[in-house]
């Protein structure tokens, strides 16, 4: 999770929403990324999606069987759906996202038995640090908008 936080800090430094993600296989990081929605003007460029795409490219395959994802914020429906399609083994996330989170807050897409794959989920990892980074980012953004 510490590396995911480093990625989130990179995003923050680029005025992106500070979310970072890491993909690991057998305890070794194989891909990492941070949000790039603002830079690319593409709403699909969430940290999780970018990291999983990199991991597939590195492994030379379309599935990420046995891989774990670490992300600083609970994934949205798009990212949770991608994790199902990539066949991620386990998700670890930091801050809960009550408005859009689909790994336990708003809904838990990842453990829904109606899908042919399920992802083990552990949330609230370094939660306070992850949540504070987001809270401070949005407070600064609001302050700039008022100026």
């Amino acid at each position: 999770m510490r590396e995911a936080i480093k990625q989130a800090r990179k995003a923050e430094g680029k005025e992106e929403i500070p979310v970072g993600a890491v993909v690991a296989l057998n305890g070794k990081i194989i891909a990492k990324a941070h949000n790039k929605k603002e830079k690319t003007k593409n709403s699909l460029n969430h940290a999780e999606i970018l990291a999983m795409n990199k991991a597939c490219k590195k492994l030379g395959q379309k599935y990420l069987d046995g891989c774990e994802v670490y992300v600083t914020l609970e994934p949205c429906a798009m990212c949770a759906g991608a994790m199902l399609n990539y066949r991620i083994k386990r998700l670890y996330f930091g801050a809960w996202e009550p408005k859009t989170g689909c790994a336990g807050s708003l809904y838990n897409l990842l453990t829904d038995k109606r899908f042919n794959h399920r992802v083990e989920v552990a949330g609230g990892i370094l939660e306070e640090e992850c949540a504070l980074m987001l809270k401070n980012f949005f407070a600064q953004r609001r302050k700039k908008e008022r100026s």
Side-chain angles (χ1 to χ4, degrees), residues 8 13 23 25 29 37 40 46 48 56 58 61 87 99 101 116-117 129 131-132 141 144:
V23 178
L25 180 61
I29 293 172
K37 290 169 43 174
T40 62
H46 290 202
E48 303 96 302
C56 279
K58 181 170 185 169
Q61 57 193 40
R87 298 182 183 168
K99 293 180 181 177
N116 66 338
H117 180 76
E129 185 174 351
L132 188 59
R141 183 185 260 183
K144 282 181 186 177

Side-chain angles (χ1 to χ4, degrees), residues 12-130:
E12 184 178 38
K14 298 173 184 177
E15 297 188 19
E16 296 276 356
I17 295 172
V19 176
V22 167
V23 178
L25 180 61
N26 299 322
K28 183 180 177 189
I29 293 172
I30 60 169
K32 50 191 174 181
H34 56 77
N35 272 3
K36 290 187 178 179
K37 290 169 43 174
E38 299 301 321
K39 178 183 178 184
T40 62
K41 305 291 185 235
N42 185 333
S43 294
L44 302 179
N45 284 337
H46 290 202
E48 303 96 302
I49 299 291
L50 296 171
M52 290 185 292
N53 285 342
K54 285 181 181 180
C56 279
K57 187 173 184 178
K58 181 170 185 169
L59 296 175
Q61 57 193 40
K62 64 180 178 178
Y63 297 120
L64 295 171
D65 292 311
C67 287
E68 301 176 328
V69 172
Y70 296 78
V71 63
T72 56
L73 181 64
E74 180 182 2
C76 67
M78 176 183 69
C79 293
M83 288 176 194
L84 289 172
N85 283 290
Y86 277 123
R87 298 182 183 168
I88 294 298
K89 179 180 181 179
R90 191 172 293 119
L91 163 69
Y92 300 95
F93 70 86
W96 294 88
E97 174 47 277
K99 293 180 181 177
T100 62
C102 285
S105 286
L106 184 64
Y107 182 69
N108 196 340
L109 204 64
L110 299 171
T111 61
D112 191 318
K113 291 183 172 132
R114 294 173 290 182
F115 291 109
N116 66 338
H117 180 76
R118 279 165 287 298
V119 177
E120 297 172 36
V121 178
I125 315 263
L126 299 176
E127 178 180 8
E128 191 173 315
E129 185 174 351
C130 294

